[in-house]
Amino acid sequence: MRLSKFIALVWLGLISWHASANQGINLIQSQAHWIDNSGQAVIEQVTQSPFEPFQHLLAKGYSKHPIWIKVSYKKAAKQDQEGLVLRILPTYLDEVTLYQRVGQQWVISSTGDRYPFAERDNQNTALSFNLHPQAEDDIYLRLQTTSTSLMSLEVVTQKHFSQLEGRRDTLLGIYFGSLIILMLISSTIGWLSKQIHWRLFALFEFAELIYVSSFTGYMPRFILPNHPLAMDLLFGIFVITHIFTGVLFHRSLLKNLLNQKIINRTFNFVTVLYISLYAIYLFYDRQLALSSSLLLMMPCTLIFAYVALFIYVKKPQIPNGPAVAFVYSALVFSILFAVAPPLGLINGVEISLYASLLNGFAFSILMFILLVSDLRYQERQLIELEKRALISNQEIASQRAENERQSKFMAMLSHELKTPLAVIKLAVDSGLKNNRYESHANKAITDLNQIIDRSVQMSRLDQGSYEIQKTEVNLGELVQSLLGVNAHRFELDMPSDLKIQSDSFLVQIILGNLIENSLKYSKEESVISVEFKESDEQVIMTISNLPNIAGMPASDVVFDKFYRSSNAHHISGSGLGLYLVKALTEMLNGSITYQPKSGWVKFILCLPK
C-alpha cells in the first residue's frame, strides 16, 4: 500500500511539473473549427467558411465528418535560426492534413497513425509538422479519424518541442514502470492466492500496458512501424479490451463482496455487449464500436455509484466497507472525467487528453490499495481462525482426555460395584431363601445392575466408540426372551419369523429398555400392548401402556438425558433408558417417537430392514 501511494504522489508531482513547464511556450494566438458536413470541401472553400473559435482543446466526439481547424500563431524572434513545429496530440488520430500558404501556393502535408512512422517530419511519438519559414501566420488542418475527434495543438520552437517530448517520455516511462510493478505484484499474489479477482486485476494491468503503449504512440514507433494500417486496426481492439478487462474485474470483485442480483445482471449484460463490440469493430463499423465502448461505461458507472451508496446507507458486513465505498465513489468521478471529453460532452483542457490514462492509473492505484487491504483483512481473519482452531483443538484434546478418564472410571466403577453386588445376591439367595424379603432384595440388585449397565452404555455412546456390526436379528425370539416371566402382561401382535439386518446388541438394548420402561411405569397387572408391522423397507413397533402414579411423560423432554417424571421418584431408575433408545435408534438409521393417545403412553419405533 505504501508503494502504491508513493507511485501516485510521484506521478502526480511530475504531471504538475510538466504542466507548469509548458506555460508560456505555445505561440498559438487563436484557433477555430468548422465541420465539413459534405466531406468534399476544398481549401479554397474552407478559407471562406464560418469558423467557430474554441479554447485549449478541440473535443467533437466521434464525428463521421471531416473537421477543419484554423490556427493563427505568432512567429518567434529566432524563427529563421530555429524553426517552428506544430505539435499535435493525441497520437492515435488517423489522418491530419496541414495546409500552409506560401506565396500564392498551398503546401500540403499529411501525418497520422495510418502513415508509416518513418515519413513523419520528426521522429517522435507525438504527431507534428515542421512549419514552413515563409508560410503565412494562418494555417489550416483537416482532421479525419474513426477515433474520437479530440485534439490539442501547440506551435513551439524546435528546442521547446524536444523538451516537451523529453518530459512526456519521462512521465510515460514512470507510468509504464508503475503499471509493470503493479502487474507483477498482482500476478504473483493472484498465482499464490488463487483468487480470481487478483488474476483479473493483473490481466487488466497487462491490457492497460498494451493500451497505453499504443495510445501514446510508442507501439507504432517500435512495433510494426512500417505497417500503420495493421497497427491502427489493433489500436481499436486494444481500446475495447482495455475497458472490457476492467468490467470483468469489477464483475468478479463485486460478486465476491456483495453478490446482489442487480449488480450481477448489469455486469452480465454489459459483458455480452462488450463481446459483441469485437464483431462490430472488425466487420461492421469501427467508429460505432469505439464510441459504444465508452458509452457502455455509463451503466458500470451507475453500478459503482449504487455500490457506494448501498454501502454508506445499508452498511453491509463486508471487509473494509468504508474503503470500498470511497474507492467506488472516486471511480465514478474519475470515469466521468475520462469519458466526457472523448464523447464531445465538454471541451476540456490539455490534461483531458490523458484522462483515460489518469483514470486507468487512478483505478490501478485505488484498486491495488483496496485489494491489499482486503488481503490483509483475510490474513487477520485467517490468524483469528487459526487461534480459534488451536483453542478448539486444545478443547477437543481436553474433552477427549476427560472422556477417557470417565470411561476408565465407569469401567472401574462397573467392576468394583458388580463384584460386591454378585456377593450380595449370593448371600440373599442363600440367607433369604423363601423369605418374604427375597424378591425385594433381588429386585434392588437387578435395578442397580441396570443402572450400572446403562451408565456404561451412555459413556460409550457419548464417546462414539461403538462400531455397528450388522447380523440377522430374529425379532420374535428376541422379544420373547426379553418378556421373560412378565410375558403374561403383554398382548403381542407380531408376524411370524420377523427378521431384520441390524446390530443385535443395540436392538436388544433398544427393545429391552422400551419393555422395561412399560413395565415400570404402567399400572400394576395392566395389559401392555406390543404390535409389530412390516413394510418393504422397515419394521414398525408400537408399544402402549396405561400410566401408573408417575403419570404421562412430558412430550418435549421425554428423550432427554436424565429426564424423570416429577411423580416417579419412588420408582428406581436412572433417567437414561429412553435417551439411550433414541440415540441408539438413530445410530441404526431408525426413528422413535412418543405419541400419547386417549390416556395411553405410546411409543412408535421404526427400524430399517
Side-chain angles (χ1 to χ4, degrees):
M1 188 181 293
R2 292 177 181 176
L3 174 64
S4 58
K5 290 180 180 177
F6 174 76
I7 292 174
L9 290 173
V10 169
W11 206 78
L12 292 174
L14 288 171
I15 289 177
S16 301
W17 163 70
H18 178 67
S20 61
N22 287 358
Q23 295 179 357
I25 65 173
N26 189 358
L27 301 176
I28 291 179
Q29 293 180 312
S30 65
Q31 50 189 1
H33 78 280
W34 173 70
I35 299 176
D36 178 14
N37 292 317
S38 67
Q40 304 297 322
V42 295
I43 186 62
E44 287 76 16
Q45 295 174 294
V46 172
T47 57
Q48 304 302 317
S49 299
F51 279 78
E52 182 181 341
F54 67 91
Q55 296 291 326
H56 306 299
L57 189 72
L58 176 71
K60 287 300 170 183
Y62 289 86
S63 174
K64 291 185 178 296
H65 305 293
I67 300 176
W68 289 81
I69 300 99
K70 179 182 178 181
V71 177
S72 298
Y73 66 96
K74 63 180 180 180
K75 295 185 178 181
K78 298 180 179 180
Q79 173 191 354
D80 295 335
Q81 295 81 11
E82 198 170 11
L84 297 179
V85 178
L86 176 63
R87 182 171 181 257
I88 303 171
L89 291 172
T91 64
Y92 55 74
L93 300 171
D94 291 345
E95 184 177 14
V96 183
T97 303
L98 172 66
Y99 292 80
Q100 302 179 83
R101 191 176 181 87
V102 181
Q104 300 300 316
Q105 301 292 326
W106 286 100
V107 178
I108 304 172
S109 53
S110 297
T111 189
D113 70 350
R114 291 188 177 179
Y115 291 84
F117 187 83
E119 295 180 7
R120 298 184 181 182
D121 287 358
N122 299 284
Q123 301 298 298
N124 297 91
T125 52
L127 302 177
S128 63
F129 292 105
N130 293 329
L131 299 181
H132 198 284
Q134 280 76 45
E136 294 183 1
D137 295 348
D138 290 346
I139 57 177
Y140 293 85
L141 294 168
R142 183 182 187 272
L143 172 63
Q144 182 76 63
T145 183
T146 56
S147 57
T148 177
S149 299
L150 197 68
M151 178 184 281
S152 171
L153 301 171
E154 291 176 298
V155 174
V156 295
T157 63
Q158 281 284 357
K159 177 182 178 182
H160 284 147
F161 177 74
S162 299
Q163 290 174 349
L164 289 173
E165 287 299 289
R167 294 190 192 107
R168 184 169 179 267
D169 288 343
T170 301
L171 279 172
L172 292 175
I174 295 174
Y175 189 100
F176 288 133
S178 303
L179 291 180
I180 291 171
I181 290 172
L182 292 177
M183 183 182 69
L184 292 176
I185 293 175
S186 55
S187 298
T188 304
I189 295 175
W191 180 69
L192 292 174
S193 67
K194 298 181 179 180
Q195 295 182 359
I196 186 65
H197 47 272
W198 269 106
R199 295 180 178 182
L200 287 173
F201 181 71
L203 179 63
F204 172 81
E205 292 303 305
F206 177 74
E208 172 85 356
L209 187 64
I210 299 298
Y211 164 71
V212 173
S213 300
S214 57
F215 177 91
T216 54
Y218 285 94
M219 191 169 288
R221 181 177 180 179
F222 298 108
I223 300 175
L224 301 176
N226 298 319
H227 299 82
L229 295 180
M231 197 65 248
D232 180 51
L233 176 67
L234 289 174
F235 174 70
I237 295 176
F238 296 154
V239 171
I240 297 172
T241 303
H242 165 244
I243 303 175
F244 184 39
T245 53
V247 170
L248 292 177
F249 165 76
H250 286 292
R251 178 173 174 266
S252 173
L253 180 63
L254 292 178
K255 186 175 183 180
N256 182 60
L257 288 177
L258 296 176
N259 196 23
Q260 287 202 326
K261 288 184 179 180
I262 185 173
I263 297 176
N264 297 337
R265 289 175 178 175
T266 302
F267 274 116
N268 290 341
F269 175 70
V270 172
T271 299
V272 172
L273 291 180
Y274 267 107
I275 293 173
S276 66
L277 287 184
Y278 288 103
I280 295 173
Y281 180 82
L282 293 172
F283 305 110
Y284 180 62
D285 189 324
R286 292 188 186 181
Q287 194 172 73
L288 175 62
L290 292 174
S291 60
S292 298
S293 68
L294 290 183
L295 288 171
L296 284 176
M297 293 179 70
M298 293 306 179
C300 296
T301 306
L302 291 175
I303 285 296
F304 296 161
Y306 169 79
V307 168
L309 186 63
F310 179 81
I311 294 175
Y312 282 131
V313 175
K314 296 294 185 179
K315 303 186 185 311
Q317 296 297 320
I318 62 173
N320 305 303
V324 175
F326 169 77
V327 167
Y328 277 102
S329 299
L331 282 179
V332 170
F333 296 102
S334 176
I335 292 173
L336 292 177
F337 172 70
V339 170
L343 290 176
L345 301 177
I346 60 174
N347 286 333
V349 292
E350 183 184 353
I351 198 172
S352 300
L353 289 172
Y354 301 98
S356 63
L357 272 66
L358 290 171
N359 177 65
F361 185 75
F363 167 80
S364 299
I365 293 296
L366 291 174
M367 279 300 154
F368 184 77
I369 292 173
L370 184 61
L371 290 176
V372 169
S373 298
D374 180 63
L375 197 63
R376 289 180 176 176
Y377 174 82
Q378 292 180 24
E379 290 175 354
R380 291 194 298 269
Q381 291 294 101
L382 184 60
I383 292 173
E384 185 65 25
L385 286 174
E386 288 176 348
K387 289 181 179 178
R388 291 179 182 176
L390 180 60
I391 293 173
S392 178
N393 288 335
Q394 291 174 345
E395 290 177 348
I396 291 172
S398 175
Q399 185 63 43
R400 185 181 293 115
E402 180 63 24
N403 287 341
E404 289 178 357
R405 285 193 294 271
Q406 290 181 7
S407 178
K408 290 179 180 177
F409 173 76
M410 290 303 301
M412 179 273 295
L413 184 64
S414 174
H415 179 268
E416 294 299 323
L417 289 177
K418 285 207 170 191
T419 300
L421 281 175
V423 174
I424 293 171
K425 182 169 177 53
L426 181 61
V428 168
D429 290 342
S430 301
L432 297 178
K433 193 69 173 176
N434 299 322
N435 189 294
R436 63 190 182 96
Y437 297 110
E438 179 185 6
S439 61
H440 296 291
N442 280 323
K443 186 177 184 305
I445 294 170
T446 300
D447 288 342
L448 283 173
N449 271 314
Q450 288 175 347
I451 291 173
I452 294 169
D453 288 340
R454 286 177 181 172
S455 298
V456 172
Q457 290 162 4
M458 183 193 70
S459 177
R460 293 179 63 187
L461 182 64
D462 288 342
Q463 294 179 52
S465 60
Y466 188 84
E467 294 184 5
I468 296 174
Q469 298 178 354
K470 289 188 176 182
T471 59
E472 186 177 80
V473 181
N474 190 317
L475 292 178
E477 295 178 358
L478 179 58
V479 170
Q480 290 295 339
S481 66
L482 292 171
L483 297 181
V485 296
N486 296 305
H488 66 281
R489 290 192 57 189
F490 287 86
E491 187 178 87
L492 187 61
D493 182 2
M494 185 177 193
S496 60
D497 199 28
L498 181 59
K499 298 178 181 178
I500 60 172
Q501 292 291 325
S502 191
D503 189 299
S504 60
F505 178 67
L506 297 187
V507 173
Q508 180 177 350
I509 294 175
I510 293 169
L511 298 183
N513 282 342
L514 287 174
I515 291 171
E516 181 191 347
N517 189 77
S518 66
L519 287 169
K520 272 187 179 182
Y521 299 101
S522 64
K523 289 184 177 180
E524 190 173 352
E525 298 303 322
S526 64
V527 174
I528 301 171
S529 172
V530 179
E531 179 184 9
F532 280 89
K533 294 181 180 179
E534 63 176 327
S535 64
D536 293 338
E537 297 180 353
Q538 63 182 357
V539 170
I540 303 171
M541 172 190 174
T542 304
I543 182 167
S544 309
N545 65 272
L546 288 169
N548 59 13
I549 196 172
M552 303 288 287
S555 300
D556 55 337
V557 293
V558 65
F559 295 109
D560 286 0
K561 187 188 293 187
F562 303 123
Y563 165 73
R564 301 197 71 212
S565 172
S566 58
N567 297 323
H569 296 302
H570 66 288
I571 302 173
S572 175
S574 61
L576 295 175
L578 292 178
Y579 167 78
L580 286 171
V581 167
K582 184 174 180 60
L584 297 179
T585 300
E586 290 176 351
M587 284 178 61
L588 297 176
N589 298 320
S591 65
I592 177 76
T593 56
Y594 170 54
Q595 299 181 10
K597 185 177 180 182
S598 302
W600 284 73
V601 177
K602 184 178 180 181
F603 291 94
I604 300 177
L605 172 70
C606 298
L607 292 174
K609 296 182 73 174

